[in-house]
Amino acid sequence: MLETVELGLDKLSKADYKPIYDGLVERLVVLQQEARAKGVGLVVLFEGWNGAGKGSRISDLLYNLDARATSVYVTPDIDTQEALMFADMHEGVTGYYPLMQQFWKALGPRGDMTFYDRGWYTAALQHMLYIESGEAPDEMTAAKLEKGRASVAADEHVASIESFERQLVDDGYVVVKFFLHVSQQAQRKRLAKLHGDPATSWRVSKAKLKSAENYKRAYKLYDRLLSGSDFSFAPWTLISGEDKRRANLDIAATLVSAFEVALARGDDPDAAAAAERARANSAGILREGDPRARSAADRQAILEAAGREADASSRLAPRTSRFEIAEDVPRLAEVDHSLVLDEGDYRRRLKYEQKRLAMLEQEMYLARVPLMVMYEGWDAAGKGGAIKRVAQALDARAYTIFTSPAPTKPELAHPHLWRYWTRLPKAGHVGIYDRSWYGRVLVERVEGFASATEWSRAYDEINEFERELQKWGAILIKFWVDVCPDEQLSRFEAREADPAKQWKITEEDWRNREKYPQYKAAVEDMFRLTSTPYAPWRILESDDKRYARVKSLQIINDALTERLREN
């Protein structure tokens, strides 16, 4: 691809440049405000050679744009001490956080422009060249990616990048990727000038200065990477960085075009219809009053209607997954509701498993293994009690409990998974999730808060997210806490009768119960499409809460023991 870039052209004069650039910038400023009003997010990535002028091109743009709707993220160089620590200790854990997390965290809301000065491609290259080769992340080691293990790693990183960029585009962002190209002679001249100037010498280390000697090897690597990631939904725009004026014109024109195309698409009618359904449902609930006041006949009619709606909803779900699905996928019809644990066995086994977890936690911390334990399930199934018994065994400094309340305004302005990419435990710590990212295919699907398009594509997005966690080295345990409808009703009524527990029961709980057929269909689809070998679903039979609590601890301990034995 790089051979298509015209290098060595005559410099553009200021007289020829300024009127064209001013016109493009004026148009860009107007489009930025239109995009902000319509919630169109623009992600602008600058990659390229050392000394090609990436930072300067971003600065020239920002001078003219609305600062309230722009942000810049500069990808730091790899932390060599951290990289060495993780490389030396345990294979599989690649850092305190997953490689892509920093870019998710830096992502601005829809309507904003997020600039990345270098980005996920630079981070992936540094990761491959340093962690997997043990050498400094400069262009001298680029040839190592031409063969062997590093070649496999390159394919894995490109897969992660493709998922990231596609999810952004699917969620309403426009991804514009620039690569600034310069000749070997131009790069050498610029780096030498920067290195020789006391005011800028800090920007060019001796290793970076010397890297220009390996231009030809790095050229092959860059060309291969660009070709492999020139996605139809996020193509590369190659820019000659040898003349800053020509580069500024090309960049501004590309951004204007990207904005115009995105704004011409209009609103997503599917998403708008889902939002309208959600508003209508809410209004209907208020008119009907407290669900507990309904007659038995009304309840039966609602359940029958919910069953018909559940059947229709299920037909919208993907029939197959492009991910490998585990052989033993759970089914609600096969849950054994008779499992119980008597008080004496419960006390003894609870104490044993909690003590075991406390010891394993110390080993997990030293091995820097991240543990993520997620609890989904029916209302009043006992999720909170199971979480409490796990947390009770852990050092309070070593775990965080993440809940999933209704999303905030900033969360709604980002992709669905953004709120979870920003809520990860660091390596060696525990993240406990009281409900999770599966809300998109459960409550948001059933209640109409997500369109059929949104929740249908969420299965693959979730599988991609969990694959990234697995590649990072996390242990991910997904529990479905199950209870039969009769036992759930008994617990609802007991909560209402107990003043100390009345806060636990709400009108929403009763409404959810009336939609049991719809939720059941959604749960079955969730099991079928997201129970992967690296993140299978596990059932906690919770008609007897004591049984579920002990089983939860035992599964966590067994998973930790297996991982630590591997290390």
Side-chain angles (χ1 to χ4, degrees):
M1 289 181 65
L2 289 176
E3 73 277 2
T4 64
V5 182
E6 291 188 82
L7 300 177
L9 296 176
D10 293 337
K11 300 287 185 180
L12 194 64
S13 70
K14 186 176 181 180
D16 291 334
Y17 162 75
K18 197 170 187 312
I20 301 175
Y21 185 70
D22 288 348
L24 286 170
V25 167
E26 183 178 349
R27 178 63 177 151
L28 189 58
V29 168
V30 172
L31 290 170
Q32 183 190 19
Q33 297 306 318
E34 291 182 15
R36 190 179 186 192
K38 291 189 175 182
V40 175
L42 191 66
V43 171
V44 188
L45 171 67
F46 282 83
E47 298 279 10
W49 295 91
N50 292 328
K54 298 181 289 295
S56 297
R57 302 290 71 74
I58 294 174
S59 296
D60 287 350
L61 277 171
L62 291 180
Y63 178 78
N64 298 283
L65 295 172
D66 184 350
R68 298 169 299 175
T70 58
S71 61
V72 180
Y73 180 76
V74 181
T75 301
D77 287 328
I78 193 169
D79 185 330
T80 55
Q81 289 186 337
E82 177 186 324
L84 274 176
M85 179 185 70
F86 282 97
D88 289 345
M89 293 182 68
H90 295 282
E91 186 175 355
V93 181
T94 58
Y96 279 116
Y97 292 103
L99 182 69
M100 299 301 293
Q101 191 205 36
Q102 59 182 311
F103 306 111
W104 277 101
K105 291 183 72 173
L107 178 67
R110 296 182 210 90
D112 281 13
M113 297 178 69
T114 308
F115 289 87
Y116 292 88
D117 183 358
R118 306 185 304 170
W120 37 100
Y121 292 92
T122 292
L125 287 174
Q126 289 183 343
H127 180 87
M128 289 184 286
L129 293 176
Y130 192 81
I131 291 182
E132 296 170 30
S133 71
E135 299 187 27
D138 57 38
E139 291 154 10
M140 290 181 62
T141 56
K144 289 187 175 290
L145 290 183
E146 297 296 319
K147 59 183 179 180
R149 178 182 174 192
S151 179
V152 175
D155 292 338
E156 291 179 352
H157 285 299
V158 169
S160 299
I161 288 168
E162 181 179 6
S163 296
F164 175 59
E165 294 178 1
R166 181 172 35 75
Q167 286 188 29
L168 293 182
V169 172
D170 286 347
D171 205 76
Y173 287 80
V174 178
V175 178
V176 180
K177 303 187 301 191
F178 294 114
F179 186 92
L180 270 65
H181 185 38
V182 293
S183 67
Q184 183 176 17
Q185 181 181 2
Q187 184 196 34
R188 184 181 291 126
K189 182 178 179 181
R190 289 186 180 187
L191 292 178
K193 182 178 180 181
L194 290 169
H195 185 71
D197 186 340
T200 58
S201 60
W202 60 272
R203 295 171 55 186
V204 182
S205 64
K206 290 183 178 180
K208 188 173 288 188
L209 186 64
K210 192 176 181 181
S211 69
E213 298 176 8
N214 295 274
Y215 181 91
K216 291 182 179 179
R217 287 181 177 178
Y219 184 103
K220 292 181 180 179
L221 170 62
Y222 278 136
D223 202 51
R224 174 184 165 192
L225 183 63
L226 292 168
S227 298
S229 57
D230 191 32
F231 309 124
S232 59
F233 50 84
W236 281 103
T237 299
L238 307 183
I239 303 288
S240 170
E242 295 189 350
D243 179 0
K244 66 179 183 181
R245 289 172 180 161
R246 290 185 186 277
N248 281 346
L249 290 180
D250 289 342
I251 290 167
T254 301
L255 293 178
V256 166
S257 176
F259 265 140
E260 289 177 340
V261 170
L263 291 169
R265 290 176 187 154
D267 297 329
D268 179 1
D270 199 18
E276 181 57 35
R277 284 197 303 275
R279 287 192 291 271
N281 287 346
S282 176
I285 287 166
L286 291 175
R287 286 195 300 270
E288 293 169 6
D290 191 333
R292 288 166 287 189
R294 295 187 182 126
S295 68
D298 288 340
R299 287 183 181 277
Q300 184 60 34
I302 290 171
L303 285 172
E304 290 175 358
R308 291 191 295 272
E309 188 174 341
D311 290 340
S313 179
S314 291
R315 289 193 291 272
L316 292 172
R319 291 300 176 190
T320 60
S321 172
R322 62 184 178 86
F323 289 80
E324 181 184 358
I325 299 300
E327 294 182 2
D328 189 17
V329 175
R331 296 186 70 248
L332 292 178
E334 297 172 356
V335 175
D336 187 349
H337 295 285
S338 66
L339 296 171
V340 297
L341 197 61
D342 65 48
E343 183 70 23
D345 284 345
Y346 169 67
R347 296 296 178 190
R348 176 180 55 81
R349 291 181 61 183
L350 179 68
K351 183 177 180 180
Y352 170 77
E353 295 296 348
Q354 286 184 326
K355 184 176 180 181
R356 185 181 168 204
L357 178 56
M359 292 187 294
L360 288 169
E361 180 203 356
Q362 301 302 315
E363 295 182 48
M364 182 193 78
Y365 176 78
L366 293 174
R368 293 295 189 265
V369 174
L371 173 64
M372 300 174 64
V373 187
M374 189 198 74
Y375 293 83
E376 289 283 358
W378 301 110
D379 293 330
K383 295 181 294 295
I387 290 171
K388 184 176 180 180
R389 271 63 182 186
V390 172
Q392 192 176 31
L394 300 171
D395 186 322
R397 298 166 294 181
Y399 73 89
T400 303
I401 297 176
F402 300 99
T403 59
S404 289
T408 63
K409 188 174 180 179
E411 288 169 345
L412 289 171
H414 285 86
H416 168 66
L417 288 173
W418 178 80
R419 73 192 298 208
Y420 299 104
W421 271 106
T422 59
R423 296 178 183 178
L424 299 178
K426 67 180 180 181
H429 290 244
V430 183
I432 303 174
Y433 296 82
D434 186 352
R435 299 198 185 275
S436 69
W437 42 96
Y438 282 95
R440 172 55 53 102
V441 298
L442 293 175
V443 64
E444 291 187 31
R445 164 180 164 171
V446 173
E447 302 298 336
F449 298 133
S451 69
T453 299
E454 289 172 325
W455 61 255
S456 292
R457 73 166 185 257
Y459 298 105
D460 279 348
E461 292 175 346
I462 287 169
N463 286 334
E464 289 169 343
F465 173 53
E466 293 176 353
R467 182 182 60 189
E468 293 302 305
L469 300 177
Q470 182 245 354
K471 286 162 62 175
W472 169 40
I475 299 173
L476 175 60
I477 301 174
K478 304 188 307 193
F479 288 125
W480 175 261
V481 189
D482 198 77
V483 63
C484 71
D486 289 344
E487 177 61 24
Q488 184 191 53
L489 177 60
S490 176
R491 293 179 186 179
F492 276 16
E493 292 173 343
R495 287 180 175 182
E496 282 196 325
D498 185 348
K501 294 184 178 181
Q502 286 175 353
W503 62 272
K504 289 187 174 184
I505 185 74
T506 66
E507 289 186 24
E508 184 178 354
D509 295 325
W510 289 99
R511 289 195 296 271
N512 290 345
R513 179 174 165 80
E514 290 179 345
K515 295 183 179 181
Y516 176 83
Q518 294 159 289
Y519 276 102
K520 181 175 180 291
V523 172
E524 295 285 15
D525 282 339
M526 178 183 74
F527 288 161
R528 181 171 56 86
L529 296 168
T530 64
S531 194
T532 57
Y534 52 83
W537 278 99
R538 301 171 187 269
I539 299 289
L540 292 182
E541 300 87 347
S542 193
D543 290 81
D544 176 24
K545 294 180 181 180
R546 295 174 297 195
Y547 180 89
R549 293 166 185 172
V550 170
K551 182 176 179 179
S552 169
L553 283 161
Q554 185 176 351
I555 289 173
I556 294 169
N557 287 334
D558 289 347
L560 276 171
T561 300
E562 182 179 357
R563 169 62 65 82
L564 294 170
R565 188 180 297 125
E566 290 175 358
N567 291 335

